[in-house]
Amino acid sequence: GELVNEGVAIFGRGRPKSVPLGSVVAGQQMGGSITYEMSTLRIDIDGAAVLQIDKFNRIFKILINGAFVDILERERGNT
């Protein structure tokens, strides 16, 4: 095989679901974390979308064998 460098970009939109403050000790780095609930997610490889998920608009598109397939298109048409 051949090693190929490809640019990958991940885009997301969400809101914080959990924000534990962690612990604070003088002279040490504060420990903390944030958990996000994502409403949209898109992954691009070399500038082309390969995955798109939109929770509220019920969109789930994925690149399969070179074609962008909308998995939930039929479900959206039934509402």
Side-chain angles (χ1 to χ4, degrees), residues 17-64:
K17 187 175 182 180
S18 171
V19 186
L21 297 177
S23 59
V24 179
V25 177
Q28 293 183 0
Q29 186 176 9
M30 180 180 163
S33 64
I34 300 175
T35 302
Y36 288 95
E37 179 179 1
M38 302 304 293
S39 56
T40 63
L41 176 69
R42 189 178 89 215
I43 299 176
D44 293 358
I45 297 179
D46 275 347
V50 295
L51 175 70
Q52 182 180 0
I53 299 172
D54 187 330
K55 180 178 177 179
F56 299 118
N57 294 312
R58 296 186 323 193
I59 295 173
F60 178 57
K61 296 179 181 179
I62 189 166
L63 190 67
I64 299 175

Side-chain angles (χ1 to χ4, degrees), residues 2 29 68:
E2 181 181 341
Q29 186 176 9
F68 214 49

